[in-house]
């Protein structure tokens, strides 16, 4: 069957004009907070010599992925909140589908890698820097990207090959697999099973690994002192919160047959916008090292700015004092001596 659809129309989060205006200001605020917070995390980790452990290397990578992931859907959602017709071309839809799954799956893998990092740090502290050296960390990051690319490539190829011959109204605010399968002019049962195996099982497998790693970590607390337990639990708590916020919506969306519910759009907001926005807040509020590093970074910037301002003022005073000293009076005329 031929593909007769050249563009898709989004229904968005709501058809109510007042709700759309509210969404515009709300998601614009969310996106600004998201970008500022994640850029701040990246900048702080890059410029702070005390934050050079593998945990912070993965955290900066997670912030970068969060920026990319939200930027695939949030700007389009903000613009469409002011548009009467929320359209996207067929090619644009497939590109959005590819990159949303690329960054989303990469984030799932990086969260799993971060859980492994915490397991090694807490359960094998003496071997931590040997096991998690720079080479291993780089390999793990590259593996996350490759895993995300393979997953996204499969999802996109399955969707591109489907025939779209009539309806083009997507009951969503971005292009995703389930809403597109609903519009296909063919039986999508087999494709739906592959989507579950690809997206749902990846989410479930990584979630099981994460839960297992934290169970092992919690069991290891029995052999530690109360101070050691407090530090280890504080380190893991922020990661556990992020995992729950990200994986619960993903499992709800992708670990089920190819059906769509009205709640899907609201649930999708959590893993595409809310969780990436909250990640910097969660990690900084529960991590004294990051908070202290951010304070030092801002203090250094203020001191540098004050030094530059002082230098400009002093140079201005010096120029003003040189001119009168270099003049002599001859009669009623002032002669400037070069």
């Amino acid at each position: 069957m031929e593909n007769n659809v050249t563009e898709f129309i989004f229904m968005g989060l709501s058809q109510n004009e007042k709700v759309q205006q509210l969404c515009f200001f709300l998601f614009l605020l969310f996106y600004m907070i998201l970008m500022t917070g994640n850029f701040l995390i990246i900048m702080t980790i890059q410029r702070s010599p005390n934050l050079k452990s593998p945990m912070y290397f993965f955290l900066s990578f997670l912030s970068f992925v969060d920026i990319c992931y939200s930027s695939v859907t949030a700007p389009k959602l903000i613009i469409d909140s002011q548009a009467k017709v929320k359209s996207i071309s067929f090619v644009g839809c497939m590109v959005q589908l590819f990159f949303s799954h690329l960054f989303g799956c990469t984030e799932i893998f990086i969260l799993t890698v971060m859980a492994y990092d915490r397991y090694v740090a807490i359960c094998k502290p003496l071997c931590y820097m040997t096991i998690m050296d720079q080479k291993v960390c780089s390999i793990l990051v590259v593996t996350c990207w490759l895993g995300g690319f393979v997953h996204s490539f499969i999802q996109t190829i399955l969707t591109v090959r489907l025939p779209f011959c009539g309806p083009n109204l997507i009951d969503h605010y971005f292009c995703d697999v389930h809403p597109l399968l609903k519009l296909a002019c063919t039986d999508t049962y087999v494709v739906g099973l592959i989507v579950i195996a690809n997206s749902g099982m990846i989410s479930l497998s990584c979630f099981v690994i994460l839960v297992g790693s934290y169970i092992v970590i919690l069991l290891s607390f029995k052999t530690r002192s109360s101070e050691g337990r407090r530090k280890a639990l504080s380190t893991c708590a922020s990661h556990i919160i992020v995992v729950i916020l990200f994986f619960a919506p993903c499992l709800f969306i992708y670990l089920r047959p190819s059906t769509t519910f009205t709640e899907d759009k609201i649930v999708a907001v959590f893993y595409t916008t809310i969780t990436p926005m909250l990640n910097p807040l969660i990690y900084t509020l529960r991590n004294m090292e990051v908070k202290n590093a951010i304070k030092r970074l801002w203090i250094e910037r203020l001191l540098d700015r004050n030094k530059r301002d002082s230098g400009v003022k002093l140079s201005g005073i010096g120029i003003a004092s040189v001119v009168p000293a270099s003049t002599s009076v001859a009669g009623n005329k002032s002669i400037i001596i070069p």
Side-chain angles (χ1 to χ4, degrees), residues 119-166:
Y119 162 76
V120 176
I122 293 170
C123 298
K124 299 180 180 180
L126 298 178
C127 305
Y128 177 58
M129 296 310 296
T130 304
I131 296 173
M132 301 299 292
D133 60 12
Q134 187 62 40
K135 182 180 178 181
V136 171
C137 292
S138 300
I139 291 172
L140 289 172
V141 166
V142 171
T143 304
C144 290
W145 278 118
L146 288 175
F149 176 81
V150 171
H151 159 78
S152 183
F153 183 77
I154 293 171
Q155 296 287 78
T156 307
I157 288 297
L158 287 173
T159 310
V160 167
R161 291 169 61 88
L162 292 173
F164 298 96
C165 53

Side-chain angles (χ1 to χ4, degrees), residues 7-67:
E7 68 173 12
F8 294 101
I9 307 296
F10 294 129
M11 291 182 66
L13 290 173
S14 174
Q15 299 297 306
N16 187 295
E17 288 188 7
K18 291 183 179 179
V19 175
Q20 288 186 39
Q21 290 297 320
L22 178 63
C23 287
F24 173 77
F25 290 108
L26 199 60
F27 282 95
L28 181 61
L29 176 64
F30 287 167
Y31 189 62
M32 290 170 64
I33 295 172
L34 183 155
M35 296 294 284
T36 304
N38 283 292
F39 269 123
L40 183 61
I41 290 286
I42 295 170
M43 241 173 68
T44 303
I45 293 173
Q46 290 296 321
R47 299 187 62 176
S48 300
N50 297 330
L51 304 180
K52 297 302 179 185
S53 68
M55 179 178 75
Y56 296 112
F57 171 74
F58 293 129
L59 178 57
S60 63
F61 179 60
L62 177 66
S63 292
F64 173 73
V65 173
D66 277 336
I67 290 171

Side-chain angles (χ1 to χ4, degrees), residues 2 22 36 64 68 80 88 93 101 104 127 142 152 176 186 208 223 229 274 280 292 303 316:
E2 293 184 1
L22 178 63
T36 304
F64 173 73
C68 296
D80 283 349
I88 186 171
C93 183
H101 279 269
C127 305
V142 171
S152 183
D176 203 4
T186 186
V208 169
T223 60
R229 284 197 297 269
I274 302 298
N292 292 334
L303 290 174

